[in-house]
Amino acid sequence: MSNIKESLLRFRKSVQPQATLVAVSKTKPVSDLEVAYEAGQRHFGENKIQEMTDKWETMSKDIHWHMIGHTQRNKVKYMAPYVHLIHSVDSPRLLKEINKQAKKNDRVIDCLLQIHIAQEDSKFGFDEEELIALLNDEAFKEYKNVQIKGLMGMATFTENKKQVREEFQSLATTFKKIKEDHLLSSRHNFTELSMGMTGDYEIALEEGSTMVRIGSAIFGSRN
């Protein structure tokens, strides 16, 4: 258990104040999360809504829960009452459902739009053309119960650091373009660039990440 605290503090020191450290706690028991919580961690990332909801019901209510996994539309209603930030908004239909469920819960839910930057078909996300089309869509502009906080992307799982850097650079360029071209109204507070995991977070930070997602390097290998 002390290893969790030591690893957490090491990563926190290396990423702050530039970026928020999201401790990816998927598959881990509440007892492990409690160790991180006692060490001051308040941002936790999960990739399954039911598991995240079970942990939310059990743990302290000052925790910020981040949904980082691929999200099914029919599951949004379960996290709508409490989720802090949804990183993985990868389609207009999903965003529409999040807005619908947020409205039912009298909330504005913060979201990141996931951009496909990896050379892997298994990754989800918009390409730049689809992203621009969404932001210009009149239906999207009527969504009052979602706030687009920024972008998220996952680089290719590879040892080629040059490729990883180029993918992060492409995401940072898209992020900058949206800001400079004023493609979103000021209501959206477009400030977050979520990129970087255990194996590539240092490159991500160098390319402008404001949020990194670290799991196994804090909690140990997954169950």
Side-chain angles (χ1 to χ4, degrees), residues 30-72:
V30 166
S31 57
D32 285 4
L33 277 70
E34 292 284 7
V35 174
Y37 180 87
E38 291 301 322
Q41 184 64 22
R42 293 296 182 269
H43 293 267
F44 290 90
E46 295 282 333
N47 72 337
K48 294 188 185 306
I49 293 173
Q50 187 57 59
E51 181 179 352
M52 182 170 70
T53 300
D54 290 345
K55 290 173 178 175
W56 167 72
E57 289 174 345
T58 302
M59 296 186 69
S60 176
K61 294 301 179 276
D62 64 339
I63 290 174
H64 297 312
W65 294 102
H66 296 246
M67 180 59 193
I68 64 171
H70 181 60
T71 301
Q72 296 174 283

Side-chain angles (χ1 to χ4, degrees), residues 71-73 76 79 86-103 108-114 126 130-131 133-137 139-150 184 187-188:
T71 301
Q72 296 174 283
R73 296 194 309 280
V76 171
M79 66 175 170
I86 302 175
H87 290 234
S88 47
V89 178
D90 58 9
S91 74
R93 293 173 71 192
L94 175 57
L95 191 64
K96 180 180 180 181
E97 181 65 20
I98 294 169
N99 184 73
K100 174 184 171 183
Q101 297 299 332
K103 187 174 183 180
V108 175
I109 294 179
D110 291 343
C111 299
L112 304 179
L113 300 176
Q114 182 173 352
F126 295 93
E130 293 168 335
L131 176 66
L134 171 69
L135 300 183
N136 287 324
D137 187 89
F140 163 73
K141 294 175 183 177
E142 294 303 312
Y143 295 162
K144 305 301 184 188
N145 292 83
V146 291
Q147 180 176 216
I148 306 303
K149 296 280 287 184
L184 280 165
R187 177 180 77 78
H188 286 286

Side-chain angles (χ1 to χ4, degrees), residues 71-87:
T71 301
Q72 296 174 283
R73 296 194 309 280
N74 64 343
K75 301 282 182 67
V76 171
K77 60 188 175 185
Y78 299 113
M79 66 175 170
Y82 69 88
V83 68
H84 174 72
L85 181 63
I86 302 175
H87 290 234

Side-chain angles (χ1 to χ4, degrees), residues 4-14 21 39-40 218:
I4 293 175
K5 181 178 179 180
E6 291 167 7
S7 299
L8 180 65
L9 295 177
R10 185 174 69 251
F11 274 103
R12 194 181 295 156
K13 185 176 179 180
S14 67
L21 173 61
I218 293 174

